[in-house]
Amino acid sequence: MNSQHFANITISLPVFMASLIVGIKPLPNQELSPPECRLAKWNLPPLVNSEPKKLPVLVPRVPVTCCQEDISCLDQATYDDKKALLQSIDYSLKYLQTEQAIMAYQKSQITRERVDQSLQRFRQLLISTKSAQELHAAIEKEFVFYQSVGRDNKGTVLFTAYYEPVYLASRQPTKEFRYPVYRYPANLESWAKPHPTRLELEGADGLQSGRGKLKGLELFWFRNRLEPYMIQIQGSAKLKLTDGTQTTIGYAGDTAYNYRSLGRSLVDDGKLPLEGLNMPIILDYFRKYPQDLNIYIPRDRSFVFFRETHGKPAQGSISVPLTPERSIATDKSLMPPGAVALIRAAFPYINNSNKIEYRLVSRYVLDQDTGGAIKGAGRVDYFLGTGEAAGERAGVTVSNGQLFYLLLKP
């Protein structure tokens, strides 16, 4: 996002999308697939137990066989950049050997050892196979597909996307750069609970931190209030500093409040209609009423702290680098982190005419992150990388699809 004063504010579409999935109609599951492949096989088979509270969140099922003419069933991108997927697998394998992973899997019915063995075998198949068709066939023989029940107990999962924004920032406060992000407080564990809210920590205008618990924790300063807030939603950022250098910041902790969407608040107040809500409407609203940021941002009680990461890649919640288009964020009550998964949904791409077009794709990914707005079996956030192009795509990623975890047959 180009940094500008509130009088001429420009809001990054993709960053804003992460907090504004209300009111935007997702693309249908298989709108872009050939007619002969619009089959119920991608949906979850009917479940015998009809009591929602007793349903599992993951259901084992036979692998989904590709239609003869449905190339979207295959992860064609795997063989365009096999190195990236291998690197992402290695990050998960490294994580699974940590104490953090041991603790994460203690209460799971799926063992850490099975996930590790599944990743190892998937990696071997990825190296030994020569095509997407060959890899898919090998996985069908050796793996069980554990499908998420989704939002509707039929397997429907809502996909959004996130990315690492690039902003201009200052190491020192100035008349122009007044809005900070903050370091993790060393004494946060001793803070009384419930923790202070965003409003109590930084004031309605975002400029009152010097009077309370955030004093002295300022890390970097920005030219408008929206940028540091959006970094809190995205979890990381690349910064171009006023002294000509560059650096990065990443998630360090939070105050444990549930995140509240700005878009939902605008709809609830009748400022914008839910039906037909889109990004131009939202952007136009804040261009007309920039002062309303001081009304709606404080309503989100959650607060995120950061650390300077000195140019390191954006990291997920398991402290490994996120890989563009190979890392996802999910609710970890669904599956402990690190596992390989298959996602299928319509995602936006920038074509040769520099226009956005949607393609229904299947993609092998690693579950390496989580997020405050990613709750339940029906939500996945898809990491698209760093910078403007990733941001353009993330901003229009809202579609229904399916999520399958891949584990070796017992």
Side-chain angles (χ1 to χ4, degrees):
M1 176 169 74
N2 295 324
S3 299
Q4 297 182 21
H5 289 97
F6 283 150
N8 189 26
I9 191 167
T10 299
I11 301 170
S12 168
L13 287 177
V15 159
F16 215 46
M17 176 62 76
S19 63
L20 288 165
I21 60 171
V22 298
I24 301 176
K25 185 178 180 181
L27 290 170
N29 291 359
Q30 286 126 18
E31 183 177 276
L32 306 179
S33 62
E36 65 271 19
C37 294
R38 295 175 193 165
L39 303 177
K41 65 182 181 181
W42 285 101
N43 296 325
L44 197 64
L47 300 176
V48 175
N49 192 331
S50 60
E51 296 182 45
K53 291 184 178 179
K54 295 184 179 181
L55 291 175
V57 292
L58 294 174
V59 178
R61 57 171 299 183
V62 296
V64 180
T65 303
C66 292
C67 292
Q68 186 174 359
E69 302 299 325
D70 186 10
I71 62 171
S72 71
C73 183
L74 304 170
D75 186 353
Q76 303 283 2
T78 298
Y79 292 84
D80 296 333
D81 189 7
K82 188 183 291 188
K83 183 179 178 181
L85 181 52
L86 286 169
Q87 181 67 81
S88 192
I89 294 168
D90 288 343
Y91 287 143
S92 277
L93 287 170
K94 181 178 179 181
Y95 159 76
L96 289 171
Q97 307 310 311
T98 65
E99 288 295 325
Q100 182 184 358
I102 293 171
M103 293 181 63
Y105 278 83
Q106 281 180 347
K107 297 181 180 180
S108 174
Q109 293 182 347
I110 297 172
T111 66
R112 183 174 59 93
E113 290 74 19
R114 188 179 180 193
V115 172
D116 182 83
Q117 291 166 7
S118 300
L119 280 172
Q120 296 279 9
R121 182 55 180 157
F122 183 85
R123 191 183 194 281
Q124 291 171 354
L125 291 174
L126 183 60
I127 292 173
S128 62
T129 53
K130 305 301 181 185
S131 69
Q133 290 87 344
E134 188 180 346
L135 176 61
H136 188 90
I139 290 171
E140 281 187 328
K141 292 179 181 179
E142 298 190 35
F143 285 76
V144 179
F145 282 40
Y146 285 82
Q147 185 170 3
S148 168
V149 298
R151 298 186 293 164
D152 55 2
N153 293 325
K154 296 179 181 179
T156 303
V157 174
L158 176 63
F159 287 84
T160 53
Y162 65 118
Y163 82 119
E164 182 182 46
V166 180
Y167 291 135
L168 181 66
S170 172
R171 287 190 181 273
Q172 303 297 329
T174 68
K175 290 182 179 180
E176 187 177 10
F177 292 84
R178 302 186 298 155
Y179 299 92
V181 294
Y182 300 89
R183 297 179 180 86
Y184 186 85
N187 63 344
L188 182 62
E189 296 300 320
S190 67
W191 286 16
K193 293 184 179 180
H195 287 147
T197 65
R198 175 182 301 277
L199 179 61
E200 292 167 337
L201 286 171
E202 64 176 8
D205 62 0
L207 296 172
Q208 309 306 314
S209 61
R211 302 177 182 180
K213 291 181 177 294
L214 297 180
K215 185 177 181 179
L217 298 177
E218 296 89 351
L219 187 58
F220 291 98
W221 279 262
F222 299 81
R223 286 201 288 193
N224 72 57
R225 191 179 183 191
L226 193 59
E227 290 175 342
Y229 176 69
M230 292 307 174
I231 296 172
Q232 292 193 34
I233 294 172
Q234 297 296 323
S236 65
K238 181 172 289 186
L239 305 182
K240 295 182 177 180
L241 301 179
T242 53
D243 62 8
T245 62
Q246 295 187 23
T247 191
T248 52
I249 56 175
Y251 173 88
D254 60 61
T255 54
Y257 281 106
N258 289 331
Y259 162 76
R260 178 176 172 82
S261 161
L262 293 182
R264 172 57 63 185
S265 292
L266 287 167
V267 170
D268 289 346
D269 282 0
K271 300 291 186 180
L272 296 175
L274 178 60
E275 185 176 357
L277 183 67
N278 58 34
M279 285 297 101
I281 292 173
I282 295 167
L283 292 175
D284 186 59
Y285 178 85
F286 280 109
R287 288 191 188 102
K288 291 178 179 176
Y289 309 105
Q291 69 278 6
D292 279 9
L293 289 172
N294 292 343
I295 297 173
Y296 290 102
I297 288 179
R299 291 188 185 179
D300 179 12
R301 298 187 297 171
S302 67
F303 202 85
V304 177
F305 303 102
F306 294 90
R307 63 178 181 273
E308 185 174 1
T309 53
H310 304 284
K312 291 182 179 180
Q315 289 194 340
S317 58
I318 61 174
S319 301
V320 302
L322 297 172
T323 304
E325 303 199 51
R326 294 298 178 184
S327 295
I328 60 171
T330 65
D331 186 332
K332 292 304 172 281
S333 65
L334 186 63
M335 166 78 82
V340 63
L342 176 69
I343 59 174
R344 179 175 169 83
F347 293 112
Y349 291 85
I350 300 175
N351 63 22
N352 293 334
S353 301
N354 205 32
K355 302 289 185 181
I356 291 287
E357 66 179 22
Y358 287 84
R359 304 173 198 164
L360 183 67
V361 299
S362 299
R363 186 61 46 87
Y364 296 114
V365 295
L366 283 300
D367 191 344
Q368 297 172 331
D369 204 2
T370 189
I374 309 304
K375 300 295 184 184
R379 287 286 285 111
V380 170
D381 220 9
Y382 183 42
F383 182 68
L384 289 179
T386 301
E388 185 176 354
E392 288 180 10
R393 295 178 59 204
V396 290
T397 300
V398 187
S399 59
N400 285 325
Q402 294 85 25
L403 166 67
F404 307 84
Y405 287 95
L406 308 183
L407 294 174
L408 282 171
K409 294 178 179 179

